[in-house]
Amino acid sequence: MLACMGYIVPELYGKWPGYLSPSQDLKFSDVPAGLAAISKVPTLGWVQILCFAGFIEGKDGLSWTNENPGDIGWKVITSSDPEMRQKKLAADLSNGRLAMVAIIGMFFQDGLTGSPWGDWDNYVDSPLRAFESELGVQPPVGFWDPLGLSADGDMATFRRRRVTEIKHGRICMLATMGYITPEITGKFPGYLSNSLDLKFQDVPNG
């Protein structure tokens, strides 16, 4: 959650005034947001970051001695009411899980486009560009291939998958109508099987 805020806050509210490193004439405003900041942080800055992380993770840093994971005694936004406290802990877990997914998404987009909010149009080296003009490509997602099945840019494979997609789509449309039509308009009269004395209306839907 803190990492996500580290991406978002500088974009919305700007950066600290003054110098990050006076000796290197490096201002906070000179450090870009996202992955590009890695190359701007001075060596001594990385040493400080690693020492702080080691302190937090180490036995002499922040820890808890009770049976409640994550409870380090900071009671600013907690509650003395057990029910409300349980609700806030559940929200903490849920938001933390969402933030883990979000920060990976920001890293991924930043790495591809050069910005955590980068436009897909900036990723000019993508092999998926070969399919941007194909039928079915629509904004805002463009050519949507979350599993990367077309990442190799092979046109023959893409054509085979597109034919399969159309065929399966048509079958699914017919299957959907097969569910809906008997419920709305009723079933055929008469027998489905005379020898078994089985009528159409005896066959359940679904």
Side-chain angles (χ1 to χ4, degrees):
M1 288 187 280
L2 290 174
C4 288
M5 294 302 296
Y7 259 94
I8 296 170
V9 171
E11 295 289 337
L12 295 179
Y13 301 105
K15 303 172 183 177
W16 294 108
Y19 286 85
L20 174 62
S21 175
S23 62
Q24 298 190 18
D25 194 32
L26 179 65
K27 297 181 179 180
F28 285 102
S29 59
D30 297 332
V31 180
L35 298 177
I38 295 175
S39 62
K40 295 291 185 178
V41 179
T43 302
L44 185 58
W46 282 113
V47 172
Q48 293 173 340
I49 292 171
L50 292 174
C51 288
F52 179 75
F55 172 77
I56 295 298
E57 296 294 336
K59 64 179 181 179
D60 296 325
L62 299 178
S63 61
W64 52 85
T65 58
N66 51 46
E67 297 179 355
N68 302 312
D71 186 358
I72 56 176
W74 194 54
K75 305 296 185 181
V76 176
I77 58 176
T78 188
S79 174
S80 57
D81 180 43
E83 185 176 348
M84 180 58 68
R85 182 172 175 274
Q86 190 68 23
K87 181 179 179 181
K88 289 188 174 184
L89 287 173
D92 184 23
L93 280 173
S94 298
N95 293 340
R97 290 165 180 168
L98 178 61
M100 286 188 280
V101 175
I103 194 63
I104 293 301
M106 290 179 184
F107 285 155
F108 187 74
Q109 188 168 3
D110 193 353
L112 292 180
T113 66
S115 168
W117 332 111
D119 194 327
W120 173 250
D121 292 336
N122 295 334
Y123 186 31
V124 295
D125 296 328
S126 172
L128 301 181
R129 291 290 179 194
F131 310 119
E132 283 292 334
S133 60
E134 292 292 335
L135 182 67
V137 176
Q138 298 175 341
V141 296
F143 181 73
W144 194 65
D145 183 24
L147 298 180
L149 299 177
S150 301
D152 56 2
D154 187 278
M155 185 59 71
T157 303
F158 173 80
R159 293 293 182 193
R160 179 179 63 80
R161 291 196 180 109
R162 173 49 54 87
V163 170
T164 303
E165 178 188 20
I166 293 174
K167 177 178 66 177
H168 290 173
R170 290 170 177 171
I171 293 173
C172 288
M173 285 188 283
L174 290 172
T176 302
M177 292 304 299
Y179 259 92
I180 297 172
T181 302
E183 295 289 338
I184 296 176
T185 62
K187 302 175 182 178
F188 288 114
Y191 286 87
L192 174 63
S193 173
N194 291 319
S195 61
L196 296 174
D197 193 32
L198 180 64
K199 296 180 179 180
F200 284 102
Q201 64 184 11
D202 296 332
V203 179
N205 193 29

